[in-house]
Every structure is written in C-alpha cells, then in structure tokens.
Amino acid sequence: MPISIPPAWRIPEREVTDERFLLSRREALAKGAALASAIASGAVCSKRAFGEPTARLYRAPAGTYPAARNARFEVKERTVTPEALASSYNNFYEFTETKEEVKNEIGLFETDPWTVEISGLCHKPQKLSLDEIVRSVALEERIYRFRCVEAWAMTVPWTGFPLRLLLDRAQPFASAKYVRFVSFMNESWAPGQAHAKKYPWPYFEALEIAEAANELTMVVTGAYGKDLQRQSGAPIRLIVPWKYGYKSPKSIVKIELVEERPETFWHKQGPGVYGFSSNVDPTKPHPRWSQRSERLIDTGERVLSQAFNGYGAFVAHLYWDRDDKAQRYF
Ligand SMILES: Nc1nc2c(c(=O)[nH]1)N[C@H]1C(S)=C(S)[C@@H](COP(=O)(O)O)O[C@H]1N2
Ligand SMILES: [Mo]
C-alpha cells in the first residue's frame, strides 16, 4: 500500500512552527539578514553541507541489531512511522531549528569514541564507553508512541534497555531524588551551539528518580533495527514516552544523581509553559498549541491525544500523591 506523505505546503503554518516560544520580529529579521549575508559571502556552502565522509560514527558489534521485540510494548492503533520520515523531521537545536534541515547539518558530528559518565550521589560513579554499555545489556525493541509538545506525533521501534539497569549499576544513595541528563557540547560539530547563543548549551534535562526507574524509561541506542542515526540522537538518547518529546534528551554524555530538583533546558526558556513534569495532558493547552489532538507525521491524520500519551497504566501511580490534577501533569 502506498504511504501518503502530505507535502509540507499542505501543513498549516501553525503546525510547522517550532518549539521556540518567543522569537521576536526583530530577531527574525536579524536572522534573515544574517543568512542573506552568509549566502552572499559563500559561507553557507561550507564543508558541513558537502564533503563529510570522514566523521567517525559508533557502530554496535555485528549481530547486535535487530534486537528481539518486546511484545508488551506494541502500539495497536497506529502504524509505525516510516524511517525515512522519522529521520528527516527532527528537533535537534544543537544543529538547527529547522526540522527538515537537521539531517543536512549533522555531517561533522562524531559519535565515536563516546563516553557516558554516571556521577553524583551514588556508590559507584563510573565512566562507560558506548561499547561497554551496548555489550553489557540485553537490548530489546519496543514500539512507542512519541508526542512532541508542538502536537505532532510518530510511532517508532526503538532499541535499547531500561534506564533502571544503569541506575542499578551506579547504586544511587537514598538521598538521590532526581536524575539529571546532559547532552554533548561541541561547537565545531554543532552549528546551533556555535551560533544560537540565546540557548544555554549543552542541552540538559531531568526526571524524578521514580520516573527514571520506571520500566517505560528507555535508554536508546538504535531504532528501526539498526544503530541510531545521528539526527535521532546517536549514539545514545533517552525515550520517556509519557512525556512531551523535549523530556527525551539526545546524544547524552552525562547522567547525574542529585538531591534538588534541577533546572531543565525548556523549563528555563519558559517556566510557565514548559513544566518540569511535562506529562502529556490533552486538557492543558500550551499557549501556542492546543494539546487536545495531535498530527501523525506520516499520514497527516489528526487524532485525539491521551493523558500520559496513553501510558497511564504504567505511570499514573507515580503521581497519585500530587495535590491536584495540574501537578500530576505539569
Ligand atoms: N540534545 C537535544 N535533545 C533533544 C532536543 C534537542 O534539541 N536537543 N529536542 C527534543 C525535542 S523538542 C523533541 S520533540 C525530540 C525529537 O526527537 P526526534 O528528532 O528523534 O523526533 O528530541 C528532544 N531531545
Ligand atoms: Mo518537541
């Protein structure tokens, strides 16, 4: 059956706008002017866009993929989003704020060698190479719904393992109440880090420790039965399927156990609109996007959104003690 992908020009403007909450007209004009002068000076035709075959990329040992599918995590009511679409419509502001361009801006991004540091309040702080991580766990494939706060959604077969396994390895102290994640920082790879200075790079996110230990919370090293592509957050990212997409940091280098609730990247940009919890809640609109429904990026179909993105059976108990409904979600 042919897959229908609506051309970009048929998507209403309000849906193609991005995560940015406030971009003033002045700022937009300045950006346009900067781009025009860059084109005039030839700077846009950099090696980033063209010759890029030398970047070193992490590859899991032969035979790692595809991993066995865990049938407990299947999505019955939706079809899997074609890989070509999931890897060409990305939010990865380290590279660019234009989703369709991320795949063209990653050419210099090197994912090998890669080390993840686990530190903070734990008995066994450690540094692990990607290979040590991949070889020490049984990878599995899970199909999850994925929901961005911009009200688009996809369905992806991720390969990885529960974050819980890494936490157990580190043996957190009882005083560790939150888990903090930090993405890579390298201006020579990432044009957004070099030029979009209004953002507080590197990207940082956090979860409550019980959220981090929930069986749904997945460390992901692959998708679609192979190594994760760079635009999707290679070589290692998080997937937290009951929360808006920005709670799933990409290309992680550090996992830290802390006592106080940490600041997070989008919460810092707009604390009133990007809550710390950010559990999917169709009843609470963001100022720019009603959250009542979402657009499936492959078919263009609009479907009603679900509390906790449909994962309430796994996670609603985490929030039973919150005083009111708003606290369960925001
Ligand atoms: N490091 C980093 N992680 C990130 C982001 C980002 O810009 N940088 N964007 C987030 C947002 S807003 C979304 S919707 C998802 C997008 O993941 P995808 O490109 O694989 O769809 O990644 C999240 N993780
Ligand atoms: Mo997002």
Side-chain angles (χ1 to χ4, degrees):
M1 205 174 66
I3 296 152
S4 109
I5 300 169
W9 48 263
R10 275 213 269 127
I11 300 169
E13 176 59 24
R14 73 189 134 76
E15 290 175 13
V16 296
T17 52
D18 50 58
E19 206 96 21
R20 282 170 294 184
F21 176 52
L22 292 170
L23 174 64
S24 72
R25 189 175 142 73
R26 251 176 64 213
E27 211 179 333
L29 290 172
K31 270 187 98 177
L35 180 65
S37 73
I39 290 168
S41 72
V44 162
C45 300
S46 67
K47 64 180 171 184
R48 193 180 304 132
F50 301 106
E52 62 175 64
T54 53
R56 285 171 303 177
L57 306 185
Y58 176 74
R59 292 279 174 250
T64 302
Y65 297 105
R69 181 170 293 179
N70 183 335
R72 285 189 66 217
F73 304 100
E74 273 175 358
V75 175
K76 299 257 155 58
E77 81 288 0
R78 298 180 184 184
T79 51
V80 167
T81 304
E83 182 190 4
L85 196 52
S87 60
S88 59
Y89 189 80
N90 301 100
N91 273 336
F92 207 166
Y93 279 23
E94 284 85 339
F95 295 93
T96 166
E97 294 174 7
T98 307
K99 292 179 195 18
E100 295 80 358
E101 289 297 326
V102 175
K103 62 178 181 304
N104 302 323
E105 292 289 346
I106 51 162
L108 298 178
F109 177 23
E110 305 217 339
T111 59
D112 187 54
W114 195 275
T115 307
V116 179
E117 178 186 342
I118 311 176
S119 60
L121 302 173
C122 59
H123 293 283
K124 297 199 168 158
Q126 49 197 288
K127 284 186 183 159
L128 294 167
S129 72
L130 234 287
D131 228 41
E132 286 173 302
I133 294 174
V134 166
R135 288 175 189 274
S136 68
V137 293
L139 294 177
E140 62 179 50
E141 182 176 83
R142 299 180 176 191
I143 301 178
Y144 278 164
R145 284 175 221 101
F146 184 92
R147 171 66 155 75
C148 175
V149 72
E150 297 161 341
W152 54 265
M154 58 182 181
T155 310
V156 175
W158 305 108
T159 305
F161 60 93
L163 173 62
R164 166 109 219 187
L165 298 183
L166 286 186
L167 299 179
D168 287 348
R169 226 176 136 135
Q171 299 178 19
F173 297 152
S175 57
K177 300 286 193 294
Y178 295 89
V179 185
R180 185 172 175 265
F181 306 89
V182 184
S183 294
F184 79 94
M185 178 75 205
N186 188 321
E187 292 186 11
S188 65
W189 292 341
Q193 291 185 332
H195 303 296
K197 293 293 184 191
K198 64 184 168 181
Y199 294 115
W201 306 115
Y203 196 92
F204 49 106
E205 252 303 335
L207 298 171
E208 296 173 18
I209 198 148
E211 294 176 329
N214 184 271
E215 66 173 322
L216 287 180
T217 305
M218 199 180 178
V219 175
V220 163
T221 57
Y224 295 94
K226 51 193 199 224
D227 291 285
L228 203 54
Q229 296 200 55
R230 284 176 287 176
Q231 59 268 44
S232 300
I236 186 166
R237 74 174 299 176
L238 206 66
I239 287 292
V240 190
W242 71 98
K243 295 176 180 283
Y244 294 120
Y246 55 86
K247 297 292 294 185
S248 292
K250 295 171 147 178
S251 308
I252 294 169
V253 296
K254 190 172 178 183
I255 300 176
E256 203 180 358
L257 292 145
V258 299
E259 183 155 14
E260 303 294 328
R261 193 180 92 176
E263 181 56 287
T264 57
F265 186 91
W266 280 106
H267 182 264
K268 189 168 184 200
Q269 312 309 303
V273 290
Y274 302 106
F276 177 83
S277 295
S278 289
N279 297 326
V280 173
D281 178 6
T283 69
K284 179 157 191 306
H286 178 284
R288 287 181 71 183
W289 305 283
S290 157
Q291 300 299 344
R292 223 175 62 79
S293 67
E294 61 205 54
R295 177 178 55 88
L296 306 181
I297 61 170
D298 49 347
T299 61
E301 190 190 351
R302 256 202 184 266
V303 299
L304 289 179
S305 293
Q306 306 176 66
F308 300 113
N309 204 23
Y311 294 105
F314 294 92
V315 296
H317 69 274
L318 295 173
Y319 309 100
W320 280 343
D321 63 343
R322 309 298 150 101
D323 291 346
D324 59 33
K325 190 171 160 294
Q327 288 184 30
R328 288 207 288 274
Y329 294 106
F330 192 67

